[in-house]
Amino acid sequence: LAAGFNTPIAGVLFVIEELMRDISGLTLETAIAASFTGAVISRFFNTTDLNLPTALLDATRRGSFTPAEIPFYLLLGFLAGILGGIFNRCIIRGMKFNRNLAIPRPLKIGLAGLISGIVVAFLPPFFMDNAGLREFLIAGELSWQLTALVFVAQFFLAIVAYSSGAPGGLFSPALVLGSALGYIVGTFEVTLLGTESPYTFALAGMGAFFTAVVRVPVTSIVIIFEMTADFNLVLPLMIVSATAYIVAESVSAGSLYEHLLGASGIEITEEHPHHDFLSELTADDVMESKVQTLSSNLTLSELIKAMSRSHHRGFPVVEGDRLVGIVTQSDIPKDSQKSGSMLLRDIMTPCPIVVNPTTSIADVLFLLNRYQLSRLPVTEGNKLLGIITRSDIIKAEAQQLNRDRRVTIKSEPAYVVYRTRSPATGKGRILLPLANLENVSGLMKLALAIAKERKYEIECLHIVPVPRYIHPAQAKVNTGSSRKLMRQMERWGRKEKIPVHTKVCLANDIVEAVLETVAKEHIDLLLMGFKGKTANPEQVFGSVTDSLISQAACDLLLVKLGDADSHFPLHFNERPKWLLPTAGGKNIQKATALLPGLANLYPNPKTLTIELCQVFFPDKVKPNGKNIQQIGDRLQSKIGLKIRPLVIRSHSVSEAIIKLNQAANYDLIILGASNEGLLQHAVKGNIPKAIARDSTSTVIIFRSSL
């Protein structure tokens, strides 16, 4: 612009307006240097520019503006906006048509030249001097009919030439079209109002049409002003450029250059400022899920002791899993001795302000500031899921500023194709991934029994694997059988009056899809089936199962159904017996909490006998039977089931359990294991895997949450 039109200021402004989304000191300084260099070198070589000749801009041809002309300038801006928007659309469609022509580019350009030559041959001679056509129109030496002919011909030929891919631009054609349109409107204004000439309208039309095509209104005003050095044109240019911009955006939104880049496969996306991440993150992303809670029936002295042992100064108050209030240090009465008989429920803040997991962090921050709070509980219904403090938000913001992409970018491995929801009335949730459809009925029966006793909901998940080179959302698969299976799960849930949610999804990675569901649905217990044997000796329970054991943070229940057709839980022995091997670890103690629910599968749970077995290595020291007896008594009083202690000597725990099962034919063997014990390789002695592999009974392995 600076070199061709001798308009260095307009050159700088054009860069600013086109690069408005990412303008910076660097781009501004570069634009100024480039415009200055282009203008100076152009003058140094006495280059003929595209400016208006001095003879055309004498003192007798200065612009004019009166309030009575405003409606006509509005009309000019309106027409320029409509025709400029149509011009841009025709350019884009012409380029697409040209690209679809299966002929070489030189032939395309030659064809455009042939069409242009034929059209110009039938036009008046003055049209052949295209370089002086703009000045010819501004000077007003043509009738309005010939000017209209010039506009139509130039409109058509500019589209043909530019669409062909021939070297050239749109600046000069836009100015010619604008001057012709302005002259026509000016002639109409002269006829009605009797002013001197349409000179001002011709120059204002140049700015209006340039704005409509390129969408740079400030540049349009400045470029005409720089070319004419006539300040009287500024007000007409402002009103026509603004009107043309608004109308053109409604006809064809976006600059022509953006559309041209898009047609070339270059998409320009708006950059989001860093603070926008507060709206992108949700409470589920930032909250602390391991929450220290207090029971509502604590006495004041117990509350003070609990607060003195913790670095927190505020706690959610719960009754069971249900949030009933929140208490802070400021809620404790000053005279705590006189208030010693008070309970926590008497001083807590009932019905606190809460947020759900999908609430944006921006909204969380608003609530914290609005009500001068230091923490907000995150709930789903009345169930407490976590808590958010100001420090949690500060940590997330610090990670964003340090460009820790783990905070703001989450993988989306699964694409949901089918989903049903039941009322969220449970205290917790079981996830049941359905892989081997032959074991569905047995696993679902176990899940229903546990859910019924613990008042849980069940989330049934069926994952259809998709090759990694196919995006899950674009995969073509038949999900008819999966949907039929999920409807069966819902019927079983309705029969037992258990809320059952179902989901069928496509995923490249099964493990990621399961972990995603565990996190999003706040799963308390992951119940999975496994075969007991693996084809790959380097795997323990299988690649998917091993990965979930190491990564799933919730409680995990691995189930290997029995080999016989009459296996538990689908069939029972007349005198049912379970085997509970223990070494006194916490996992087997937590697993016993599941026993009452599983026992209710029997018509008469009182007929069930549980043998609590402890294996001792043969040595000179006599095994202490009192210890196992005490454990059995505690469990029996806790779960209300008959427990019989059993002491065995053996060099191998797994061999002892397998032989005992072969002799007694147990319905069920329940094992507790840690993460390390489950993933320990078989060569080093993986006891849970060995028992599950070589036992014909149903085997359940429990691993508590990480």
Side-chain angles (χ1 to χ4, degrees):
L1 275 179
F5 291 89
N6 193 25
T7 53
I9 298 177
V12 175
L13 291 177
F14 175 72
V15 172
I16 293 175
E17 285 196 283
E18 272 296 312
L19 302 178
M20 189 70 75
R21 64 178 57 81
D22 55 2
I23 189 66
S24 63
L26 178 62
T27 53
L28 179 59
E29 292 164 6
T30 306
I32 293 174
S35 294
F36 173 81
T37 306
V40 170
I41 293 179
S42 179
R43 292 190 179 190
F44 177 77
F45 285 105
N46 294 319
T47 306
T48 302
D49 56 39
L50 301 178
N51 213 328
L52 297 175
T54 306
L56 188 62
L57 302 174
D58 57 16
T60 61
R61 301 297 299 274
R62 308 303 286 176
S64 62
F65 177 77
T66 61
E69 296 173 331
I70 292 178
F72 295 94
Y73 286 119
L74 291 173
L75 175 63
L76 175 58
F78 179 78
L79 293 175
I82 292 179
L83 295 172
I86 295 174
F87 182 79
N88 284 5
R89 287 192 174 190
C90 292
I91 288 286
I92 298 300
R93 291 183 180 179
M95 294 190 68
K96 290 181 178 178
F97 174 79
N98 182 272
R99 288 177 180 175
N100 292 331
L101 290 178
I103 57 177
R105 173 171 290 187
L107 188 56
K108 294 177 183 178
I109 296 176
L111 183 61
L114 175 63
I115 295 173
S116 300
I118 294 174
V119 173
V120 172
F122 288 95
L123 292 174
F126 66 83
F127 199 88
M128 297 180 185
D129 182 14
N130 188 62
L133 186 58
R134 177 162 43 98
E135 292 81 0
F136 204 58
L137 293 169
I138 295 173
E141 299 180 7
L142 298 177
S143 64
W144 71 267
Q145 293 90 343
L146 285 176
T147 303
L149 176 63
V150 168
F151 182 87
V152 173
Q154 182 77 6
F155 192 95
F156 171 73
L157 292 177
I159 294 171
V160 171
Y162 196 86
S163 300
S164 68
L170 292 171
F171 278 48
S172 185
L175 295 177
V176 172
L177 288 168
S179 61
L181 182 63
Y183 184 84
I184 295 172
V185 176
T187 302
F188 178 62
E189 187 264 351
V190 169
T191 303
L192 292 181
L193 300 184
T195 54
E196 295 181 1
S197 74
Y199 168 79
T200 305
F201 280 87
L203 292 172
M206 292 167 61
F209 205 87
F210 188 85
T211 296
V213 172
V214 189
R215 310 294 162 84
V216 283
V218 176
T219 303
S220 302
I221 296 169
V222 173
I223 192 174
I224 304 302
F225 173 71
E226 281 196 282
M227 289 169 62
T228 61
D230 187 354
F231 190 79
N232 293 325
L233 294 173
V234 172
L235 292 179
L237 285 168
M238 290 175 67
I239 188 171
V240 296
S241 296
T243 306
Y245 182 87
I246 295 171
V247 175
E249 278 291 299
S250 63
V251 175
S252 176
S255 166
L256 176 61
Y257 294 108
E258 290 184 18
H259 291 300
L260 293 176
L261 287 173
S264 301
I266 303 173
E267 295 293 336
I268 299 178
T269 57
E270 295 289 344
E271 293 290 337
H272 297 286
H274 290 300
H275 65 269
D276 276 354
F277 87 99
L278 292 176
S279 299
E280 297 171 0
L281 288 178
T282 62
D284 195 24
D285 301 321
V286 178
M287 72 178 186
E288 176 59 52
S289 57
K290 294 182 179 179
V291 187
Q292 290 181 330
T293 60
L294 298 177
S295 175
S296 61
N297 58 8
L298 286 180
T299 63
L300 194 57
S301 58
E302 290 173 331
L303 170 62
I304 295 174
K305 289 180 181 179
M307 283 194 169
S308 64
R309 290 194 299 265
S310 174
H311 65 278
H312 297 299
R313 292 297 173 261
F315 299 88
V317 183
V318 297
E319 290 181 358
D321 290 332
R322 188 168 63 92
L323 177 72
V324 295
I326 196 165
V327 64
T328 62
Q329 196 172 31
S330 60
D331 294 324
I332 300 176
K334 294 182 179 179
D335 191 355
S336 58
Q337 293 181 350
K338 294 183 180 180
S339 307
S341 61
M342 279 188 176
L343 296 179
L344 177 53
R345 67 168 64 93
D346 300 324
I347 64 171
M348 71 179 185
T349 302
C351 303
I353 299 173
V354 299
V355 294
N356 59 53
T358 59
T359 303
S360 70
I361 294 302
D363 292 338
V364 171
L365 194 58
F366 170 78
L367 291 173
L368 290 173
N369 294 332
R370 173 67 177 82
Y371 297 102
Q372 294 299 303
L373 303 173
S374 58
R375 58 189 57 78
L376 274 176
V378 183
T379 62
E380 189 175 56
N382 289 327
K383 181 184 177 183
L384 180 65
L385 301 178
I387 198 164
I388 293 181
T389 63
R390 293 179 183 272
S391 61
D392 295 325
I393 299 176
I394 293 172
K395 288 178 184 178
E397 188 171 10
Q399 288 176 325
Q400 170 66 19
L401 294 175
N402 290 331
R403 300 188 182 277
D404 187 351
R405 305 304 295 173
R406 292 173 296 177
V407 175
T408 56
I409 297 179
K410 287 191 169 185
S411 60
E412 297 289 343
Y415 179 73
V416 179
V417 294
Y418 177 82
R419 185 169 190 172
T420 64
R421 310 302 293 166
S422 295
T425 57
K427 294 182 178 180
R429 192 166 290 180
I430 299 173
L431 175 61
L432 181 60
L434 304 175
N436 186 358
L437 302 184
E438 296 177 359
N439 298 333
V440 165
S441 56
L443 295 177
M444 186 62 176
K445 199 166 184 180
L446 293 175
L448 288 169
I450 297 172
K452 193 171 186 178
E453 196 272 334
R454 307 192 79 173
K455 295 181 174 57
Y456 276 10
E457 305 162 19
I458 299 176
E459 179 87 26
C460 293
L461 174 66
H462 183 52
I463 303 170
V464 180
V466 176
R468 288 192 176 273
Y469 59 85
I470 300 177
H471 193 281
Q474 299 173 345
K476 295 181 179 180
V477 296
N478 185 0
T479 59
S481 58
S482 301
R483 295 167 187 257
K484 183 178 179 181
L485 173 65
M486 292 306 176
R487 287 192 288 268
Q488 178 63 45
M489 299 295 105
E490 292 180 82
R491 286 193 292 269
W492 285 343
R494 286 193 296 268
K495 183 178 179 181
E496 298 294 333
K497 297 181 180 180
I498 301 295
V500 173
H501 317 288
T502 66
K503 183 166 68 174
V504 178
C505 63
L506 314 181
N508 300 126
D509 192 307
I510 295 176
V511 174
E512 286 188 13
V514 174
L515 293 175
E516 178 188 16
T517 304
V518 168
K520 285 189 174 182
E521 304 299 336
H522 307 287
I523 300 300
D524 298 276
L525 175 64
L526 174 59
L527 195 157
M528 295 179 57
F530 71 101
K531 296 179 180 179
K533 299 178 181 179
T534 58
N536 189 343
E538 295 184 359
Q539 299 170 358
V540 183
F541 297 96
S543 60
V544 172
T545 306
D546 289 356
S547 299
L548 291 174
I549 290 172
S550 63
Q551 298 181 53
C554 60
D555 288 344
L556 180 65
L557 203 65
L558 299 179
V559 180
K560 194 217 80 170
L561 296 176
D563 298 336
D565 295 335
S566 58
H567 62 70
F568 177 85
L570 300 179
H571 301 279
F572 318 113
N573 293 325
E574 294 181 1
R575 294 183 179 180
K577 288 191 300 182
W578 291 355
L579 181 62
L580 191 64
T582 180
K586 66 174 183 177
N587 286 286
I588 194 63
Q589 294 177 13
K590 291 189 67 175
T592 55
L594 305 175
L595 299 183
L598 298 177
N600 287 330
L601 289 170
Y602 292 102
N604 185 7
K606 293 183 178 180
T607 62
L608 172 64
T609 300
I610 301 176
E611 293 188 347
L612 185 66
C613 173
Q614 190 167 13
V615 179
F616 292 90
F617 290 98
D619 52 24
K620 297 180 181 179
V621 181
K622 185 178 180 180
N624 186 3
K626 292 183 179 180
N627 185 36
I628 190 71
Q629 181 68 48
Q630 291 174 355
I631 296 175
D633 292 341
R634 284 199 303 268
L635 290 178
Q636 184 166 321
S637 62
K638 184 177 180 181
I639 64 178
L641 296 173
K642 189 189 303 181
I643 295 181
R644 188 176 70 178
L646 186 64
V647 177
I648 299 176
R649 288 178 179 241
S650 176
H651 289 284
S652 171
V653 175
S654 57
E655 287 183 6
I657 301 301
I658 293 168
K659 290 180 179 179
L660 184 61
N661 181 46
Q662 291 172 350
N665 191 22
Y666 294 99
D667 280 10
L668 177 65
I669 301 175
I670 304 174
L671 305 170
S674 64
N675 234 34
E676 296 76 12
L678 280 174
L679 296 177
Q680 189 179 41
H681 202 274
V683 174
K684 299 179 181 179
N686 193 307
I687 297 175
K689 179 182 179 180
I691 295 173
R693 181 189 60 211
D694 297 329
S695 297
T696 57
S697 303
T698 297
V699 178
I700 291 179
I701 305 173
F702 179 84
R703 187 223 66 188
S704 59
S705 58
L706 299 179

